[in-house]
């Protein structure tokens, strides 16, 4: 590590058009908070800034749809996001917002400086204009028919049905979402930032000087730079955002990705009069925590802007995480496929540390990872409760039983190998944890802490202090033996308690509210959590009396997990999927991409007969089918309830995908899928052999 005098940490600005979900937390807020809490414990000069990103097209669209002003939209979501972050103990020094005056001024000044230095290219282009609404239309404001798949509601930048990225020119029958009018082309002027001029410098700075960046970050930068950079428009036609600070530019604002990162600077200004120390002095270490979708903006565009401006430091590191998926599917705000943080905190009150734990243990640090409720329960119950919580609880219970609720002395003369080994582990963990955190490897650091608690459990198990106490009581042992036994008990409990104090220090960056509870039990002040105390063995004084144990974590029951899964599966996303399966379609679905024979050969289709069918409770679209495959009977859950009555289809032959992995739907395990044909009108028909065929016959 270079010799830095101060650290400035930023975490991505969440977009204020929806609440916070677990993907946001795992992507940047939890890792950033761990890093910051650790550096604070190290007594380093550090500031942690963030805020809501409140400009951009999706917010204006949302406002229009809800019939409210964009300010109303951002006020609503900024409050929800800020509250969720606070309740998750994400300890920003300031959490600001880009609709603040100070930000408008800062972003405006930044733009003006680049303009005055003659860095922008002024270009006139033709863009779509809505003559009825009298406004230029951003790509998102234009809808039309997708030329690739025929989806009639594709956007001017993307078709959400087939995933193609589009330009408005490609849409068939383009319409304005504002007025439904057909947009016309009109000339408009914008200011472009010539990124290509910074390409040689960026190649040197990123590719040569920052080989230490995470592989995923470095790789993405390299591919952008290898593909070559182009001028990028830094202004837009809109009335919502930071106004372009030039004469005769009514109806033009700064591009949201120009103004948003400047939000970090504005927030620091709002936080402290010393803001310039953090942004302009070379001995500042600037670290941006983000998700992978923001890499190009934080590693290429924003640094180029900072370089062009000339007064600011550049990021030392951008430890971006990959994505966190949810139950095997991409988290999506628009499809409501998410675990919303505010709802989690309602359902699991006081359990913010359990979520912080799971999101760190399962963090997408090097690749996309999957959050499942089962895994959440498993990690909470078998790691937090059974290892960490269990060790602390046992230690406190035993201490009250065997050493009168006080810290016993340590008798050096009888210390044995187990004691020495534990002491070594405590000392070593400190180094392992700090090295890992400094390298942004938070999972590794957390596992080390849990592993230390595991060693504590093993130590108690091997020492069995309760047996020695039992021996004293039962056998009326001699004074000597009894004294010796008490000394052994003392040593064991003394070390277990010092280990508990160490665990509080080490877990504090990850699970701050747990560390706080532990401080309370040990009757010590916050200062004990200073990192310099980690690895030490005299944290709790001999003879000091401690409080009774408190429960650090609680078990998560099957019932709670089932409730969460049901909630997720019953969300509009699932219904939307079913709806699109059965919907009136005016166009045939697009052909999927070509596969090789080997791909096809992996599928095992079999003929079967439906022997029983019933509706699935509380699921309008699902039928539970029993299917005889000849060699075995299968339960298959199928989304055909709106098309067929259960009694109508018993006895029908069907084609089953027989080697599909089982999937639980509404608590029922579905073992396979039946093939259906869907016509353009959305009607479903069974695919079956044209004559009765033996069940189990293979289809190829
Ligand atoms: Zn399409």
């Amino acid at each position: 590590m270079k010799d830095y005098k101060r650290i400035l940490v930023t975490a991505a600005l969440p977009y204020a058009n929806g609440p916070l979900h677990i993907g946001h937390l795992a992507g940047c807020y939890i890792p950033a908070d761990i890093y910051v809490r650790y550096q604070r414990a190290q007594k380093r000069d550090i500031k942690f800034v963030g805020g809501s990103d409140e400009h951009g097209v999706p917010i204006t669209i949302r406002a229009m749809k809800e019939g409210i002003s964009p300010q109303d939209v951002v006020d609503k979501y900024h409050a929800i996001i800020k509250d969720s972050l606070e309740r998750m103990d994400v300890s920003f020094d300031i959490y600001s917002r880009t609709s603040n005056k100070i930000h408008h001024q800062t972003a405006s000044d930044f733009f003006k400086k680049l303009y005055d230095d003659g860095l922008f290219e002024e270009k006139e282009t033709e863009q779509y204009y809505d003559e009825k609404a009298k406004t230029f239309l951003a790509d998102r404001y234009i809808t039309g028919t997708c030329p690739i798949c025929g989806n009639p509601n594709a956007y001017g930048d993307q078709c959400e049905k087939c995933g193609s990225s589009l330009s408005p020119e490609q849409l068939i029958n383009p319409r304005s979402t504002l007025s439904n009018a057909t947009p016309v082309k009109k000339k408009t002027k914008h200011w472009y930032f010539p990124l290509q001029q910074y390409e040689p410098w960026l190649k040197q700075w990123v590719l040569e000087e920052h080989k230490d960046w995470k592989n995923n970050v470095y790789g993405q930068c390299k591919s952008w730079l290898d593909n070559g950079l182009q001028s990028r428009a830094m202004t837009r036609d809109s009335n919502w955002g930071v106004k372009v600070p030039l004469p005769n530019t009514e109806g033009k604002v700064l591009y949201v990705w120009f103004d948003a990162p400047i939000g970090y600077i504005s927030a620091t200004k709002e936080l402290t009069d010393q803001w310039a120390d953090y942004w302009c002095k070379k001995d500042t270490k600037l670290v941006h925590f983000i998700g992978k979708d923001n890499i190009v903006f934080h590693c290429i565009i924003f640094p180029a802007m900072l370089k062009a401006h000339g007064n600011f430091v550049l990021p030392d590191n951008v430890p971006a995480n990959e994505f966190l998926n949810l139950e095997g599917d991409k988290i999506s705000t628009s499809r409501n496929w998410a675990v919303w943080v505010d709802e989690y905190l309602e359902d699991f009150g006081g359990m913010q540390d359990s979520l912080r734990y799971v999101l760190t243990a399962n963090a997408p640090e090097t690749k996309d990872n999957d959050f499942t409720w089962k895994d959440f329960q498993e990690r909470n119950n078998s790691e937090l409760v059974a290892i960490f919580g269990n060790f602390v609880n046992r230690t406190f219970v035993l201490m009250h039983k065997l050493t009168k609720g006080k810290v016993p002395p340590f008798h050096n003369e009888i210390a044995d190998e187990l004691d020495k080994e534990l002491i070594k582990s405590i000392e070593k963990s400190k180094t392992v944890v700090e090295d890992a955190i400094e390298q942004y490897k938070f999972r590794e650091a957390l596992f080390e802490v849990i592993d230390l608690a595991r060693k504590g459990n093993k130590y108690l198990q091997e020492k069995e202090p309760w047996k020695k106490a039992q021996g004293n009581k039962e056998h009326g042992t001699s004074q000597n033996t009894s004294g010796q036994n008490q000394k052994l008990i003392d040593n064991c409990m003394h070390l277990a308690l010092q280990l508990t104090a160490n665990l509080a220090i080490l877990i504090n960056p990850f699970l701050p509210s747990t560390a706080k509870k532990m401080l309370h039990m040990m009757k010590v002040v916050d200062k004990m959590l200073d990192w310099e105390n980690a690895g030490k063995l005299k944290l709790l004084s001999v003879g000091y009396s401690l409080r009774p144990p408190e429960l650090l974590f609680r078990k998560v029951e099957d019932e709670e997990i089932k409730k969460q899964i049901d909630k997720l599966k019953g969300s509009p996303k699932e219904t939307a999927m079913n709806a699109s399966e059965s919907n009136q379609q005016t166009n045939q679905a697009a052909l999927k991409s070509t596969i090789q024979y080997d791909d096809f050969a992996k599928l095992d289709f079999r003929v079967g007969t439906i022997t029983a069918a019933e509706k699935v409770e509380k699921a309008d679209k699902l039928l539970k089918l029993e299917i005889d495959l000849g060699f075995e009977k299968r339960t298959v859950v199928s989304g055909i309830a709106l098309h067929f009555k259960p009694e109508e289809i018993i006895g029908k032959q069907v084609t089953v995908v027989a080697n599909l992995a089982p999937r639980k739907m509404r608590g029922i395990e579905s073992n396979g899928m039946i093939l259906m044909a869907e016509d353009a009108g959305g009607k479903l028909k069974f695919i079956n052999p044209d004559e009765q065929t033996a069940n189990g016959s293979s289809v190829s």
Side-chain angles (χ1 to χ4, degrees), residues 11 316 379 384 409 470 586 628:
D316 177 73
R379 286 187 185 275
L384 277 186
Q470 201 67 19
T586 45
D628 186 356

Side-chain angles (χ1 to χ4, degrees), residues 465-529:
W466 52 90
K467 276 205 177 155
K468 295 187 180 82
Q470 201 67 19
N472 276 354
K473 248 188 226 160
E474 276 172 9
H475 309 299
T477 36
S478 73
Q479 199 82 42
N480 258 353
T481 324
S482 155
Q484 185 69 9
N485 272 349
Q486 189 57 48
K487 277 186 175 180
L488 290 170
I489 292 170
D490 285 352
N491 277 11
C492 172
M493 294 321 299
H494 181 92
L495 280 190
L497 286 166
Q498 303 300 352
L499 171 54
T500 305
N502 269 279
L503 285 173
I505 300 169
L506 297 178
I507 205 69
N508 180 45
F510 305 91
L511 312 180
S513 108
T514 301
K516 216 172 241 166
K517 279 188 205 162
M518 292 170 75
L519 286 188
H520 180 77
M521 284 158 65
M522 295 184 287
K523 289 208 300 195
V524 286
V525 290
D526 290 3
K527 190 131 183 41
M528 198 207 76
L529 296 179

Side-chain angles (χ1 to χ4, degrees), residues 12-20 29 50-55 59 62 70-87 92 94-100 240 267 270 342:
L13 307 177
Y15 202 52
N17 75 334
L20 204 70
Y29 302 108
S52 302
D53 176 4
E54 305 188 319
H55 297 139
I59 282 164
R62 179 136 208 164
Q71 190 66 50
D72 290 337
V73 172
V74 299
D75 284 349
K76 176 178 163 188
Y77 290 111
H78 170 74
I80 295 175
I81 294 169
K82 186 166 191 274
D83 180 63
S84 292
L85 288 167
E86 280 169 6
R87 288 166 69 200
F92 280 112
I94 181 167
Y95 186 78
S96 187
R97 50 195 307 197
T98 60
S99 63
N100 273 354
W240 180 246
E270 206 179 327
D342 53 334

Side-chain angles (χ1 to χ4, degrees), residues 146 149 159 162:
C146 171
C149 76
C159 169
C162 69

Side-chain angles (χ1 to χ4, degrees), residues 33 37 85-91 352-353 356 512-513:
D33 192 57
R37 285 177 183 274
L85 288 167
E86 280 169 6
R87 288 166 69 200
M88 284 304 299
D89 292 329
V90 177
S91 56
Q352 67 270 34
D353 276 359
R356 286 178 69 110
S513 108

Side-chain angles (χ1 to χ4, degrees), residues 393-461:
N393 188 56
R394 258 170 110 190
T395 298
F396 265 68
V397 168
L398 287 169
M399 177 262 303
H400 278 278
K401 242 192 212 159
L402 308 178
T403 64
K404 303 184 180 127
K406 290 186 173 147
V407 182
F410 189 74
H411 312 279
N412 242 324
E413 68 281 6
I414 56 159
D416 64 9
E417 276 314 304
L418 288 176
D419 299 334
K420 286 176 194 160
E421 213 177 283
L422 189 71
I423 292 170
K424 245 190 240 158
S425 298
I426 293 173
E427 290 165 349
K428 196 193 108 221
S429 281
K430 180 202 184 203
T431 325
V432 173
V433 172
E434 66 188 33
D435 285 352
I437 293 182
E438 292 286 3
Q439 294 174 57
Y440 311 102
K441 293 176 178 167
F442 304 112
R443 299 176 69 180
E444 198 179 303
L446 180 59
F447 290 149
E448 176 65 23
V449 184
I450 296 301
D451 202 46
L452 186 61
R454 191 181 279 121
K455 284 175 182 154
N457 277 320
K458 197 164 153 251
Y459 175 76
L460 288 180
Q461 207 55 42

